[in-house]
Amino acid sequence: MTETAAGHQDSYPPSAEFAAAANAGAELYERADADREGFWAEQARRLHWHTPFTQVLDWDDAPVARWFADGELNISYNCVDRHVLDGHGDQVAIHWEGEPGDSRAITYRELLEEVSRAANYLTELGLVAGDRVAIYMPMVPEAIVAMLACARLGLTHSVVFAGFSPSALRQRVDDAQARLVITTDGQWRRGKPAPLKEAVDEALAAKGDVPSSVEHVLVVRRVGTEVPWTDGRDLWWHETVSAASPVHEAQPFPAEHPLFILYTSGTTGKPKGILHTSGGYLTQTAYTHHNVFDHKAGQDVYWCTADIGWVTGHSYIVYGPLANRATQVVYEGTPNSPNEHRHFEIIEKYGVTIYYTAPTLIRTFMKWGREIPDAHNLTGLRLLGSVGEPINPEAWRWYREVFGDNKTPIVDTWWQTETGAIMISPLPGVTDAKPGAAMRPLPGISAKVVDEEGKAVQLGETEANGYLVLDKPWPSMLRGIWGDMDRYRSTYWERYAEQGWYFAGDGAKLDTDGDLWVLGRVDDVMNVSGHRISTAEVESALVGHPSVAEAAVVGATDPTTGQGIVAFVILTGATTPDDTLVDTLKAEVSKQISPIAKPREIHIVPELPKTRSGKIMRRLLRDIAEGRELGDTSTLVDPAVFEAIRTGGN
Ligand code: 6R9
């Protein structure tokens, strides 16, 4: 066991007990290396194929891959029917916990009935395979039922996060030319119903770039408030779907049949509709959910805290877990509703064993204080996961100590909307994990860290401009950007066109052991006097100080050094700032990383601007740091944060 200068253990091997019982062993890497396509074919056989595939990868039309292309399957059959047919109909699929405290346990048999009713009704509405359906719903069971019903019929769903504005919804509906929108009357937010159907009405009433393609709006009653109604267009779920037959026979579709479109922001204003297909996507989500989370069907209680509006919700609430016959918790509300104990109460109530969340939430829990988790019995937890951004070592250690009783493996999983499933992560029974490192590409996955020219960066090289590239196709990779294949090629494949590599847009380094550290988006890497410094590294150093709860760092233009480091920090509840604190923090960064990384300015602020998916909006902080007019704030959770930062920061 190695120790860092600060006295921290810097590598955490799995316990012997965990390793002995783990789903994945070290031999997976060898098998995948020896015969990559054979390995993926073996993984694909986790699924039920109505027509078995005979070919594995077809890369002739690169960069558009075809996996298992002559095979046929039904995604919904794989996630639901086969578990019932295998005798597990009474197993709970979803322990649903509503925000106001209501709850529902839904077995696989009940899920099959609901999905079948929805599939029958969508068919009655005239929807046919290939049509697009927009789903704009909070975290209610019907959202998952709707996704699975679309998958069952070969309809392509486009889930739009229910926190998005009417104009964002309209833009996505138009882009995909959706025929149907599925929504709810409203959603619970901190004990109060907030309207949602109205937002759909507003979106569809607006004069869009093209006339609205929407024929019907299907509405689930959730909060019971009155909603405006357009006769002929609007339909109640409880009057239609609930009255449909609970029996429906799933038809097979080709492996490359489109499954969903999910919009993600790019460098330009227009969101990109990332397109995923069926067989390869389900293969890799199921494979990773099994091995990375060490999931054991019928034993584990799994909880992924994401929203279905994001890719993590698609791959690790809906498709991966259900394909693996998971029993999982789905929670409708926010972590502090009605108070900060909510997540811990849920973990206790359902006996959660696997918990998968984002660093931003872990740091929020840290800010609230460990007495909150300490008031609960969390001993059921045996594996913890992190996703969404680099996790700073401080938060990693806190997570392991406070949630995991200093025992549980943590899997820091790197992947993207575009990759569809986890790509780089420790294997929990195999890897000696390092806090803050995503470690190694999973068996079957290949990644490189290269410079501008595509030359491999040296191990331990921290000054190089390391870019993360994926140099071999993988089953759950995106198949394009909906309606814009040129943009697909230019965004991801132009940079390393000669080599034929996928450019992920993330900076990375390999340490002297060859382990991979993701440093954040390339645009989050600063250049100070010719030195590349990751915003994540400086943030991590700041958060390492006991007075700091959360930090965001940006590179602001500087006349002498190119960029100067500007930090925004939130203090822990117990701290009262004094005149020396800012200097102390600067010295701390200098000590932890290097004097080069010492921030030019540190602003103590009450809040940080975050997107609705919890990512810090560094672009906007850069605007503040450089004294510019604010750019687009439309994806911010709460634009009022800015006033608070401006007043707090000056
Ligand atoms: C799954 C998801 C993708 C971007 C990605 C990277 C960052 C995600 C990470 C991570 C470091 C991890 N990211 N996981 N960075 N370590 N474990 O988040 O998808 O919303 O498309 O974001 O998130 O920058 O490029 P998406």
Side-chain angles (χ1 to χ4, degrees):
M1 169 184 310
T2 43
E3 302 270 324
T4 61
H8 288 306
Q9 178 186 339
D10 72 359
S11 174
Y12 294 74
S15 70
E17 302 91 275
F18 194 100
N23 289 346
E27 78 290 348
L28 273 191
Y29 293 102
E30 287 151 36
R31 267 169 38 211
D33 282 348
D35 176 9
R36 230 174 75 84
E37 291 193 16
F39 177 80
W40 282 119
E42 198 184 305
Q43 300 312 321
R45 292 192 190 102
R46 299 173 172 283
L47 308 179
H48 174 86
W49 293 83
H50 280 72
T51 312
F53 55 89
T54 64
Q55 62 196 81
V56 181
L57 168 65
D58 172 1
W59 191 228
D60 288 351
D61 197 20
V64 182
R66 290 162 58 81
W67 283 87
F68 318 114
D70 64 348
E72 289 187 313
L73 79 173
N74 185 288
I75 296 288
S76 162
Y77 179 92
N78 271 283
C79 291
V80 191
D81 306 43
R82 69 173 167 142
H83 306 319
V84 178
L85 294 169
D86 287 348
H88 300 289
D90 292 332
Q91 183 186 321
V92 172
I94 297 170
H95 283 296
W96 179 75
E97 177 85 5
E99 196 203 67
D102 50 338
S103 62
R104 273 173 76 184
I106 301 166
T107 65
Y108 274 97
R109 179 173 298 106
E110 289 163 343
L111 188 60
L112 174 59
E113 286 173 10
E114 295 229 4
V115 171
S116 298
R117 287 183 202 278
N120 280 322
Y121 186 65
L122 297 187
T123 304
E124 207 175 305
L125 277 180
L127 293 159
V128 294
D131 285 345
R132 273 83 56 207
V133 174
I135 297 176
Y136 185 60
M137 299 173 85
M139 291 293 286
V140 292
E142 290 83 355
I144 297 171
V145 169
M147 290 167 77
L148 290 167
C150 288
R152 193 175 189 86
L153 298 172
L155 307 172
T156 305
H157 60 67
S158 161
V159 180
V160 179
F161 177 58
F164 273 136
S165 63
S167 64
L169 171 64
R170 176 60 182 266
Q171 192 177 23
R172 287 157 177 75
V173 162
D174 285 353
D175 188 72
Q177 290 288 288
R179 291 183 64 190
L180 172 71
V181 178
I182 309 181
T183 190
T184 60
D185 53 354
Q187 54 184 333
W188 289 107
R189 277 296 164 254
R190 298 177 203 282
K192 292 199 190 69
L196 194 62
K197 164 70 162 59
E198 273 94 327
V200 177
D201 289 345
E202 193 184 326
L204 300 185
K207 209 180 152 310
D209 295 337
V210 290
S212 169
S213 49
V214 173
E215 295 159 31
H216 290 290
V217 178
L218 182 54
V219 188
V220 172
R221 189 146 73 193
R222 170 60 186 138
V223 295
T225 50
E226 278 220 12
V227 292
W229 206 252
T230 304
D231 284 328
R233 185 195 69 180
D234 298 347
L235 307 155
W236 280 116
W237 177 286
H238 61 266
E239 289 173 357
T240 56
V241 173
S242 304
S245 159
V247 180
H248 179 271
E249 197 182 331
Q251 301 300 316
F253 292 97
E256 285 299 334
H257 189 79
L259 176 61
F260 67 85
I261 303 167
L262 184 59
Y263 289 84
T264 184
S265 50
T267 44
T268 67
K270 190 174 184 283
K272 303 177 282 197
I274 303 300
L275 176 68
H276 283 286
T277 60
S278 304
Y281 173 80
L282 197 64
T283 295
Q284 195 175 329
T285 51
Y287 156 73
T288 50
H289 178 261
H290 177 78
N291 288 298
V292 175
F293 299 116
D294 192 47
H295 176 260
K296 305 210 164 46
Q299 293 172 38
D300 278 308
V301 178
Y302 165 86
W303 184 14
C304 166
T305 68
D307 188 284
I308 47 143
W310 313 116
V311 74
T312 306
H314 284 59
S315 301
Y316 296 106
I317 293 177
V318 183
Y319 294 111
L322 294 177
N324 289 342
R325 188 168 50 87
T327 293
Q328 68 177 319
V329 170
V330 174
Y331 171 51
E332 182 182 36
T334 52
N336 54 353
S337 167
N339 60 49
E340 291 84 359
H341 289 267
R342 192 65 187 269
H343 270 224
F344 307 103
E345 284 165 2
I346 292 174
I347 292 171
E348 266 189 305
K349 175 174 173 186
Y350 296 105
V352 172
T353 59
I354 302 171
Y355 181 79
Y356 188 33
T357 196
T360 182
L361 186 60
I362 298 165
R363 291 194 298 264
T364 302
F365 288 138
M366 289 172 77
K367 190 167 80 179
W368 290 342
R370 72 169 288 167
E371 57 281 5
I372 293 170
D374 282 351
H376 299 273
N377 177 3
L378 307 179
T379 52
L381 291 171
R382 65 178 197 90
L383 185 122
L384 303 169
S386 173
V387 62
E389 53 177 319
I391 180 167
N392 49 302
E394 189 68 16
W396 195 103
R397 291 197 175 89
W398 189 91
Y399 193 26
R400 188 171 191 271
E401 184 176 325
V402 175
F403 276 66
D405 197 21
N406 258 329
K407 288 202 290 256
T408 55
I410 294 182
V411 289
D412 176 4
T413 62
W414 179 88
W415 60 294
Q416 308 177 300
T417 304
E418 292 87 341
T419 70
I422 299 170
M423 302 293 282
I424 304 176
S425 163
L427 277 182
V430 178
T431 313
D432 294 1
K434 296 174 186 171
M439 302 301 291
R440 298 281 166 123
L442 289 176
I445 299 300
S446 185
K448 281 183 161 48
V449 180
V450 299
D451 66 13
E452 289 283 351
E453 278 79 51
K455 250 182 39 246
V457 305
Q458 306 266 314
L459 301 194
E461 173 64 83
T462 50
E463 303 258 319
N465 300 345
Y467 296 115
L468 179 56
V469 298
L470 302 169
D471 58 314
K472 294 198 174 98
W474 62 100
S476 64
M477 70 192 293
L478 74 169
R479 301 301 197 260
I481 293 177
W482 182 260
D484 199 348
M485 290 309 273
D486 287 344
R487 191 176 179 196
Y488 171 58
R489 288 193 173 82
S490 65
T491 306
Y492 305 106
W493 301 94
E494 216 155 66
R495 188 114 163 201
Y496 295 104
E498 216 172 285
Q499 298 90 340
W501 296 338
Y502 170 91
F503 173 64
D506 278 311
K509 67 177 185 193
L510 296 172
D511 65 19
T512 47
D513 300 326
D515 293 322
L516 196 147
W517 299 66
V518 179
L519 301 172
R521 301 297 302 182
V522 178
D523 41 14
D524 292 344
V525 177
M526 303 169 291
N527 190 325
V528 183
S529 306
H531 298 282
R532 287 180 60 88
I533 299 157
S534 143
T535 52
E537 266 177 287
V538 179
E539 286 164 9
S540 168
L542 286 166
V543 175
H545 191 275
S547 305
V548 177
E550 189 155 12
V553 166
V554 296
T557 313
D558 186 283
T560 47
T561 58
Q563 280 188 317
I565 300 176
V566 178
F568 298 84
V569 300
I570 303 178
L571 301 180
T572 47
T575 310
T576 10
D578 61 32
D579 296 350
T580 61
L581 182 63
V582 165
D583 288 339
T584 308
L585 294 178
K586 286 184 182 175
E588 178 74 14
V589 178
S590 197
K591 195 175 103 205
Q592 291 281 330
I593 309 172
S594 133
I596 301 158
K598 184 166 150 177
R600 186 182 77 188
E601 296 160 40
I602 297 182
H603 300 279
I604 295 165
V605 295
E607 290 285 349
L608 290 171
K610 289 189 185 147
T611 63
R612 294 186 170 96
S613 63
K615 290 192 169 67
I616 293 168
M617 297 186 79
R618 290 199 179 68
R619 182 174 53 78
L620 296 184
L621 288 174
R622 216 152 32 227
D623 288 346
I624 295 186
E626 299 180 349
R628 263 193 309 277
E629 283 277 88
L630 292 185
D632 181 14
T633 56
S634 64
T635 55
L636 255 183
V637 180
D638 177 12
V641 166
F642 271 102
E643 266 325 296
I645 291 179
R646 283 197 152 145
T647 24
N650 288 327

